[in-house]
Amino acid sequence: MNYKVIDPETYYRKGVYRHFTEDCKCSTSMTARIDVTELVNYSKAKGTKFYINFLYVLSKVLNSRDDYKMAYLWQTKELICYDVINPIQYVFHDDTETCTPVYSSYNEDYDVFYKNALDDVEKAKKTREYGLDAANHPNWFDASYISWLSYDSLNIELPDGYLYFLPIINWGKYREENGRLMMPITVRLNHAVADGYLIANVYKLLEKEIEEFVKSKDK
């Protein structure tokens, strides 16, 4: 785990950062649907899991900009940017109706990521422990699939004034709309390090990366 310390005085969002860490501590979230038709078709054609393929694309997108890799070290009151952030996926246990967090590591090599993420899931299926270990996984972001519902809105609440900067991403079932498969995705970021543009940009990057991913794998 490596990171660089950001000087708030030279940070390009200096004024916004000061306002939303001092005057108005809050987060912002947005829910929108993106077209995942081609990624679904690719996953079925290749016999791979759509869920993990999307998790790879999501992780790649969030690692593509420093804005999505920010964190706040409350111990030293430092604004930092991680070199890499990794996804926390979840395994749901039908018998207990509970879930287990799964700490998977991001790897830009798709084949490596896919194999390791799949192995992580299989290991988690063997336990019923919650297993949350945030202290030893500081640069992991929350990536939770709500598989039971194609929802229209979702809001994640954190305690007022809590400066948690890493992304929290949720997504639901895709559904057919006008012949295309559309999937709801919720992106939550702290307002100190992100605004509407940066959140909306996640959706644009996801659609672009899905297109490039499918094209590159079909060659």
Side-chain angles (χ1 to χ4, degrees):
M1 177 196 64
N2 295 308
Y3 62 82
K4 59 184 176 184
V5 177
I6 307 296
D7 183 354
E9 293 302 314
T10 58
Y11 180 35
Y12 87 103
R13 291 174 51 82
K14 173 184 174 181
V16 177
Y17 180 78
R18 189 210 64 77
H19 176 62
F20 287 108
T21 56
E22 297 179 16
D23 306 328
C24 181
K25 297 178 181 179
C26 65
S27 60
T28 181
S29 65
M30 188 181 300
T31 298
R33 291 190 294 277
I34 69 167
D35 190 335
V36 295
T37 307
E38 301 308 322
L39 187 60
V40 172
N41 291 340
Y42 166 84
S43 302
K44 290 179 178 178
K46 299 296 183 180
T48 55
K49 293 186 178 296
F50 167 81
Y51 162 79
I52 295 182
N53 289 340
F54 177 74
L55 189 66
Y56 169 78
V57 170
L58 173 66
S59 299
K60 188 172 183 179
V61 163
L62 294 180
N63 276 286
S64 69
R65 282 190 66 135
D66 284 355
D67 295 291
Y68 306 132
K69 299 185 288 183
M70 308 293 277
Y72 180 76
L73 299 184
W74 61 268
Q75 300 93 333
T76 57
K77 298 182 179 180
E78 290 178 308
L79 172 64
I80 67 169
C81 176
Y82 288 113
D83 290 351
V84 176
I85 57 174
N86 309 287
I88 309 171
Q89 51 175 321
Y90 289 84
V91 167
F92 182 78
H93 308 292
D94 290 310
D95 57 337
T96 59
E97 296 184 345
T98 60
C99 64
T100 297
V102 183
Y103 293 93
S104 294
S105 295
Y106 171 65
N107 193 305
E108 193 170 358
D109 186 314
Y110 164 74
D111 293 327
V112 173
F113 177 87
Y114 187 93
K115 179 183 182 304
N116 290 342
L118 193 60
D119 288 345
D120 293 338
V121 168
E122 292 306 313
K123 290 176 183 176
K125 287 180 179 179
K126 298 175 182 178
T127 181
R128 296 296 180 271
E129 297 297 323
Y130 185 53
L132 186 67
D133 187 23
N136 292 310
H137 298 84
N139 57 322
W140 265 256
F141 70 92
D142 211 75
S144 181
Y145 174 36
I146 302 172
S147 61
W148 310 276
L149 183 68
S150 182
Y151 61 84
D152 292 312
S153 65
L154 184 150
N155 191 44
I156 301 293
E157 298 285 352
L158 291 180
D160 289 343
Y162 186 54
L163 299 179
Y164 182 83
F165 291 169
L166 286 170
I168 298 176
I169 313 294
N170 297 86
W171 65 97
K173 291 174 62 177
Y174 53 77
R175 66 187 186 221
E176 185 174 343
E177 296 180 17
N178 299 317
R180 306 298 292 179
L181 299 176
M182 307 298 292
M183 187 171 76
I185 303 171
T186 303
V187 179
R188 181 270 177 199
L189 285 162
N190 193 288
H191 212 336
V193 294
D195 51 22
Y197 168 78
L198 286 171
I199 292 180
N201 193 50
V202 173
Y203 299 96
K204 293 171 61 177
L205 291 172
L206 281 170
E207 290 187 326
K208 179 181 178 182
E209 186 57 41
I210 285 173
E211 181 181 2
E212 293 180 355
F213 173 83
V214 172
K215 284 182 179 180
S216 68
K217 297 304 176 185
D218 282 342
K219 290 181 180 178

